Amino acid sequence: MVTCQEPHGPATDSVEDMLDFGPLIGGVSVTDHTEWVYTIRASALIDDPVGATCYRNALNAGRMAPDAHPETILGRCALAGPDHLDAALRAARGAAAEWGGSSQERRAALAEAFRAGLREHADAVTRLLVEEGHPVRLARTEVADLLTFFGPQTTEWCLGQMETRHKADGRTVTLRRVPDGVVCVQPPQNTPALGVGAAFQSVLAGNALVVRLSRHAPIAAMYLLERIAVPALAEVGAPPGVLSALCTDPAQALDAWLASPLVDDVLYFGDSIRGEQLEKACLAAGKKPILELGGNDMVVVWRDAPLDQAVAALMDSYHGSGQICCAPNIALVHPEIADELTDRLTERVRALRPGFPDDPEVVLAATPNTAGYDATLADARRAGARVLTGGRHLDVQGRESDVAVFAEPALVRVDGLGRARELRSVRYETFFPLLTLAVPHPVAADDELLTEMVSFVATGAYGLRNSLWTRTEEVIDRFVRDVRSCGQLRVNDSHLAGVPFLSNHGGPGLSGDRFGELNYPMLRTSRLQGVSVAQSVPPSQAAAPCVPAQPRPRVEAAREYPPGWPPEELPGGLPAPFTEAFHHDPYPTLRWLREHRPVSRVISPDGPGWLLTRYDDVRTAHTDPRVTCDSKRIPAGLMWLRHWPSELRERLFVHLLDSDDPRHAELRAVMRPFFTPTRQEQWRTRVQRIVDTRIDRIADRGHGDLMAAVAYPLGGNVLFSVLGATPPQMNHLRAMIWRTAEWNNDVPYVAALAHEVDSFVRAAVAEKRRSPGDDLISLLVRARDQDGLISEDELHGQVMMMLVAGQDPSINSVGNSLHALLAHPDRLAELRDDPSLMATGLNELLRYESPLPFTSWRGTLEPVGFGEVTVPAGDSLFLCLGAANRDPARFPDPDRLDLRRPTPGHLAFGHGAHYCLGAHIGRMTAEAAVTTVLRRLPGLRLDGIPRWRPSMFERGLSVLPVAWDVPRKGSAR
């Protein structure tokens, strides 16, 4: 029974509307499965990449149910196991013999039935592709290409190659191709539906097909197979075993295929490195490798090219953010027109913007490979190429962000083909939005220049397709004659659009050799090349109707604000504490409260409490035994925790920051040996090395974001070195942890975020139990397993506490200190001229802009007096370190930054029993970062508006844009 439901109408919030697929074995969806892979709508991932990713992970791990945020879920596929893989291969082998002897007429009828079904379901397939993240313009192109590929011209030509008959010398000679038998398909992760559709052509040759579906985006591909391919096979009476499709681990499937005697061919779509490895494994196992690998397609733009059309064709490079294997990646431009084309192209590229995939103006898709993007641009700069635009990571609004899902479209120009060959973007395939313009050095004779450019293309390492733009017949003839190393040539035509008779694919990339061939799965063993030459520039086609956009899913926070929230402004229009306006600049409000209501009854998003702003009151509250840190005994803490899953709330919140004496002292004693000043001082060299490495990456740029470039990676690297844990995707983890520490009223996906943190903690503890070391987690594991000093819950709670609280003091100390200096250029110059001021200056910077303006929640166990006010028992306390550090009773003229000011007793890292264990590391990190930045980035100045990160407990920047004078090469650090 087929379980897929047809997409219809706008998205709803009902789990029943979710697309649901089991393993497809012999054309039938089986139901004996318990594990699922969920697909989250791309617009939800783009809108909230951290929260939606955590929710997907929680769904896949079975920790959350789909009814938590059903509006975000596109569908799910059951995970197939070894038994399903074996059953699919046996069904395929049984059907292959029967189907292999079918007539050509029957196979032609199958092609037409498949095409008719695709045409009928075109809107549904397009919509599913969009929901999986393909911009709607690209999704429509993909569906149109499949319709063209299965059109009568291509099908009749391919079937005509399958068998020919000849009469010679009284004999009838038949030349025919016979099917290999069972073909197993691994489609591309970025465009699985298009790959699966192309692979289905191998069924027309008489083969049976077993498809391993991508766990990343299986829904559109499974829909294509269940709703279109299976009915088409049934219409022509094909045996059921001809088609199977399973969603499973790729390594598990490949291992099973290589080991099975039932498998004949492995058709693999992917990158060239993995393709080369698979090719060797297939040959060793006696299987035929059929590879459709990535490539670096080239476009030659001759001096008489129609520039409007050539520029439009080059913009195809950015469709899907460059994640299309046959998109142009390199343009060889005649030097006479290079400047004009560069200017036009730069303007067009800069105008591209991120957006949701259902926007018909958007061509960019989310870009997972930002590390490769960054490395490629850095390589271009080192090689002397010009990066004309690009280099930032952007969110859907086009704002720079370190957890962004879009890479800014990049355009690189390099002059000289010799230098171009050295660039990483030319030597290797790229799957991100980057186009390289390679301009040959001018020569006297056009013939010599043409020879150089054609030779550059003909000797390229990849074999997909190449293009030419020119009006000169001689140039066309020369290009077509001499470029024989790829599967397809386009002349004065779109590089991407489907063309009748021509396959949409053209592997095999770098596998075995550089030579490519036109890839018809029916004819894969023949060497073919297709050429499309337009006699005149094709007229532009009217845009196809846009698929109606569905309402984008958006998970809203469970906002359950207490009575009285939001509070009214204070006298003089000052924002009330904890409001959004307060976070931008809290000090005027805190100053007024300290002067008029030093112990003030206020409302926070987590309920009412008492805000303390005087130094003496805040300091006293840190040491009074009648004040508790246990969030489970504090009204605000209980409200803050209410959205955490109950099992995590009870298990994880037993850590150092959430405990009172005597247990707090016992837990602190367990960790204290790791945080002695001597032990922390051992990190100084490592911290300095990290700072130098980060500044090395940006020193020659002249501008950048000091938070993303220095503060964030520094804080994260130091934390994970202390923990001894394997660093994850740092930006994702940092953003996720920040949000778990925010008010849960304002955080969507909070349960999913909590489960993700718990999952990381469990994995880190398990890793240290297997391989202990000289690190903090190993110390805690020994305290639990060998010494019995802490419980399992306390072990996990301590690790979770370090994740949440361990990197932010360092990050904020670095960012806030640099921002304070940049906002006071005289103080910056003073410190740069006299680095010895750092001895007192660092503590002054920490006092002036404290990294933690509030402690975590506190509460009264008994009535406690602060000055003239007695706070009743059972009330919440908000201890404001930022206000205490600007109390004029303790620090005269406190709003003035004075690097020579002695600041004994400042509360930037707390006070008393809960004084920050890692304060020395935090100071050392800030000192190394500030002194090195000032020394190595001369002329440092603000270059935009800094942005503060909204947070209940912290005062930290999200962006600190700066510029500096680029130092000359060879200058000392």
Side-chain angles (χ1 to χ4, degrees):
M1 178 180 68
V2 175
T3 59
C4 172
Q5 301 176 30
E6 177 84 45
H8 56 85
T12 70
D13 293 344
S14 171
V15 175
E16 285 71 25
D17 291 325
M18 177 177 64
L19 291 168
D20 190 273
F21 299 99
L24 183 67
I25 299 178
V28 177
S29 183
V30 299
T31 57
D32 58 333
H33 42 263
T34 57
E35 294 185 80
W36 298 91
V37 170
Y38 287 81
T39 298
I40 300 294
R41 299 179 191 274
S43 51
L45 286 163
I46 291 171
D47 180 61
D48 189 347
V50 174
T53 297
C54 292
Y55 181 47
R56 181 184 61 198
N57 294 344
L59 288 170
N60 290 343
R63 296 191 294 265
M64 293 185 70
D67 57 0
H69 306 296
E71 68 278 12
T72 69
I73 302 173
L74 176 60
R76 65 180 184 176
C77 281
L79 275 176
D83 291 343
H84 297 116
L85 283 166
D86 184 66
L89 293 179
R90 292 184 182 279
R93 175 53 68 193
E98 177 186 345
W99 179 244
S102 59
S103 66
Q104 287 203 22
E105 291 74 19
R106 198 174 173 193
R107 298 178 195 175
L110 173 61
E112 182 50 39
F114 179 80
R115 186 169 186 262
L118 180 59
R119 189 187 302 110
E120 178 186 351
H121 292 266
D123 281 354
V125 173
T126 302
R127 184 176 295 114
L128 290 176
L129 290 171
V130 171
E131 294 284 14
E132 287 183 337
H134 300 225
V136 65
R137 291 169 62 179
L138 176 61
R140 288 201 301 262
T141 299
E142 291 177 275
V143 173
D145 285 354
L146 272 183
L147 286 169
T148 300
F149 186 53
F150 281 90
Q153 300 101 320
T154 306
T155 298
E156 289 173 8
W157 184 86
C158 287
L159 287 173
Q161 311 304 304
M162 295 299 294
E163 181 174 304
T164 58
R165 295 187 180 186
H166 310 273
K167 297 224 180 249
D169 299 330
R171 299 181 179 89
T172 298
V173 178
T174 300
L175 301 176
R176 66 175 189 173
R177 297 177 184 269
V178 295
D180 289 335
V182 175
V183 177
C184 294
V185 180
Q186 176 109 306
Q189 180 170 304
N190 55 337
T191 56
L194 185 63
V196 166
F200 186 72
Q201 201 206 37
S202 63
V203 177
L204 303 186
N207 295 297
L209 203 62
V210 178
V211 179
R212 187 208 75 83
L213 286 172
S214 161
R215 293 180 298 175
H216 173 71
I219 302 300
M222 184 62 93
Y223 183 92
L224 184 74
L225 295 175
E226 280 202 1
R227 297 293 295 202
I228 300 172
V230 168
L233 287 164
E235 183 177 328
V236 300
V242 164
L243 181 61
S244 296
L246 310 101
C247 188
T248 189
D249 179 74
Q252 181 184 39
L254 285 173
D255 288 346
W257 295 345
L258 292 173
S260 175
L262 304 176
V263 175
D264 297 296
D265 296 353
V266 176
L267 174 51
Y268 172 85
F269 297 76
D271 68 83
S272 295
I273 294 175
R274 292 187 182 91
E276 290 182 42
Q277 296 168 347
L278 177 63
E279 181 179 48
K280 295 174 183 177
C282 285
L283 294 174
K287 316 297 180 188
K288 180 197 291 184
I290 303 173
L291 307 177
E292 177 63 41
L293 305 181
N296 261 10
D297 284 7
M298 302 189 205
V299 179
V300 174
V301 185
W302 196 242
R303 59 184 171 84
D304 65 342
L307 286 189
D308 288 341
Q309 290 87 348
V311 168
L314 290 174
M315 291 299 294
D316 287 348
S317 174
Y318 300 97
H319 280 250
S321 287
Q323 297 173 66
I324 306 170
C325 61
C326 54
N329 290 345
I330 305 159
L332 276 66
V333 185
H334 195 289
E336 286 186 16
I337 60 165
D339 290 344
E340 182 179 358
L341 183 138
T342 298
D343 291 343
R344 291 195 190 190
L345 202 56
T346 302
E347 182 180 0
R348 292 280 300 273
V349 174
R350 284 177 176 163
L352 293 176
R353 57 179 179 81
F356 290 97
D358 59 357
D359 184 341
E361 298 300 317
V362 167
V363 300
L364 302 178
T367 309
N369 185 16
T370 53
Y373 170 82
D374 294 340
T376 301
L377 286 177
D379 170 80
R381 292 187 180 97
R382 284 193 300 270
R386 285 186 287 158
V387 178
L388 303 172
T389 185
R392 299 182 298 163
H393 301 174
L394 307 176
D395 64 15
V396 71
Q397 305 300 329
R399 299 172 302 204
E400 192 166 2
S401 169
D402 68 324
V403 292
V405 293
F406 291 94
E408 183 180 27
L411 183 65
V412 172
R413 174 167 168 171
V414 56
D415 289 280
L417 297 189
R419 177 179 289 181
R421 291 185 188 277
E422 300 173 1
L423 295 187
R424 177 172 175 159
S425 61
V426 174
R427 297 199 317 271
Y428 304 115
E429 56 201 353
T430 58
F431 292 100
F432 33 79
L434 188 152
L435 176 65
T436 300
L437 302 180
V439 181
H441 293 306
V443 295
D446 260 358
D447 186 67
E448 181 182 345
L449 185 62
L450 181 60
T451 298
E452 183 183 13
M453 295 173 74
V454 169
S455 175
F456 191 97
V457 176
T459 57
Y462 295 87
L464 297 187
R465 67 179 62 164
N466 294 300
S467 292
L468 168 68
W469 286 87
T470 183
R471 294 186 176 95
T472 305
E473 289 296 330
E474 292 79 3
V475 174
I476 296 174
D477 292 343
R478 180 81 170 276
F479 183 78
V480 172
R481 185 193 73 187
D482 292 346
V483 180
R484 300 186 295 273
S485 57
C486 64
Q488 189 173 148
L489 302 179
R490 299 287 181 97
V491 177
N492 295 335
D493 201 356
S494 165
H495 198 90
L496 288 180
V499 175
F501 297 104
L502 298 188
S503 169
N504 197 48
H505 295 83
L510 285 174
S511 60
D513 55 45
R514 71 177 185 276
F515 300 108
E517 58 183 304
L518 207 57
N519 183 355
Y520 300 94
M522 281 197 282
L523 313 173
R524 195 61 180 94
T525 56
S526 299
R527 289 292 306 278
L528 298 173
Q529 183 184 71
V531 178
S532 172
V533 179
Q535 300 304 317
S536 60
V537 177
S540 60
Q541 299 179 350
C546 180
V547 175
Q550 299 189 58
R552 297 189 186 113
R554 183 177 179 85
V555 172
E556 297 292 340
R559 294 181 172 88
E560 300 173 17
Y561 292 119
W565 182 265
E568 295 181 357
E569 292 182 342
L570 300 180
L574 292 173
F578 309 126
T579 58
E580 182 177 357
F582 171 79
H583 286 294
H584 291 300
D585 185 8
Y587 297 110
T589 294
L590 295 174
R591 182 168 53 249
W592 188 92
L593 287 171
R594 191 174 51 242
E595 293 172 355
H596 298 90
R597 302 176 194 168
V599 183
S600 178
R601 182 77 169 173
V602 298
I603 292 290
S604 83
D606 290 327
W610 297 86
L611 175 62
L612 308 185
T613 54
R614 288 185 300 216
Y615 179 90
D616 289 342
D617 292 340
V618 172
R619 186 181 171 100
T620 298
H622 274 82
T623 57
D624 195 311
R626 296 169 295 175
V627 174
T628 180
C629 296
D630 186 347
S631 60
K632 297 179 287 297
R633 305 171 72 185
I634 302 169
L638 289 171
M639 191 170 184
W640 184 83
L641 284 169
R642 69 195 180 282
H643 294 303
W644 274 65
S646 59
E647 71 276 13
L648 300 186
R649 184 170 61 239
E650 295 166 4
R651 184 163 58 81
L652 292 179
F653 282 86
V654 288
H655 53 71
L656 197 67
L657 296 182
D658 214 51
S659 303
D660 297 325
D661 286 336
R663 190 55 181 158
H664 168 265
E666 294 166 352
L667 292 173
R668 193 175 181 93
V670 171
M671 298 180 70
R672 188 177 293 117
F674 202 85
F675 288 98
T676 63
T678 301
R679 183 71 182 265
Q680 294 183 70
E681 189 65 24
Q682 295 172 0
W683 294 93
R684 185 175 295 275
T685 301
R686 183 175 299 184
V687 168
Q688 186 63 55
R689 184 169 61 247
I690 295 171
V691 174
D692 284 331
T693 299
R694 299 303 304 186
I695 295 180
D696 285 343
R697 298 183 180 184
I698 65 169
D700 61 350
R701 297 185 188 178
H703 63 89
D705 172 16
L706 287 181
M707 297 305 296
V710 179
Y712 290 163
L714 182 58
N717 276 285
V718 170
L719 170 65
F720 279 93
S721 295
V722 170
L723 289 175
T726 302
Q729 185 179 356
M730 202 76 78
N731 295 345
H732 172 85
L733 183 70
R734 181 173 59 252
M736 176 185 67
I737 289 170
W738 278 345
R739 292 171 62 177
T740 60
E742 298 289 350
W743 313 316
N744 290 347
N745 277 326
D746 288 331
V747 179
Y749 297 103
V750 67
L753 293 162
H755 279 297
E756 187 90 345
V757 172
D758 178 55
S759 177
F760 178 85
V761 169
R762 287 174 179 269
V765 170
E767 179 185 356
K768 288 304 167 184
R769 281 194 163 122
R770 290 190 302 269
S771 303
D774 184 24
D775 51 70
L776 182 57
I777 297 180
S778 296
L779 180 149
L780 293 170
V781 168
R782 287 192 292 271
R784 165 71 182 99
D785 295 351
Q786 297 177 19
D787 304 327
L789 298 176
I790 59 176
S791 68
E792 188 71 15
D793 286 353
E794 287 171 329
L795 166 60
H796 286 237
Q798 292 290 85
V799 177
M800 188 273 288
M801 179 269 293
M802 286 298 298
L803 278 176
V804 172
Q807 61 178 321
D808 290 357
S810 294
I811 290 173
N812 295 343
S813 296
V814 171
N816 294 1
S817 297
L818 288 168
H819 175 262
L821 291 169
L822 289 162
H824 298 82
D826 292 345
R827 302 289 80 76
L828 187 152
E830 187 179 16
L831 182 58
R832 176 175 274 147
D833 293 341
D834 183 6
S836 67
L837 278 178
M838 186 58 76
T840 56
L842 180 59
N843 278 328
E844 169 67 355
L845 290 167
L846 293 170
R847 178 204 69 82
Y848 182 80
E849 195 70 85
S850 301
L852 300 172
F854 290 90
T855 64
S856 55
W857 300 131
R858 299 291 200 272
T860 53
L861 300 176
E862 303 174 21
V864 183
F866 297 101
E868 65 280 6
V869 177
T870 297
V871 176
D875 272 10
S876 302
L877 288 176
F878 310 140
L879 310 187
C880 187
L881 304 177
N885 279 338
R886 293 204 184 192
D887 186 344
R890 175 69 183 188
F891 304 104
D893 196 9
D895 294 326
R896 180 172 60 88
L897 181 64
D898 180 0
L899 299 180
R900 302 177 188 275
R901 181 202 305 266
T903 55
H906 75 76
L907 303 179
F909 293 110
H911 175 67
H914 283 273
Y915 184 77
C916 178
L917 273 171
H920 187 76
I921 290 181
R923 284 195 185 92
M924 184 171 56
T925 303
E927 179 183 354
V930 171
T931 56
T932 307
V933 165
L934 295 188
R935 175 166 47 85
R936 296 196 54 197
L937 302 181
L940 190 70
R941 56 201 177 272
L942 286 172
D943 188 37
I945 300 175
R947 293 205 303 267
W948 293 97
R949 180 168 53 85
S951 173
M952 180 68 207
F953 304 117
E954 298 179 21
R955 175 75 168 160
L957 289 155
S958 60
V959 176
L960 182 55
V962 295
W964 59 89
D965 303 327
V966 176
R968 296 177 181 176
K969 291 185 178 180
S971 62
R973 288 181 176 176

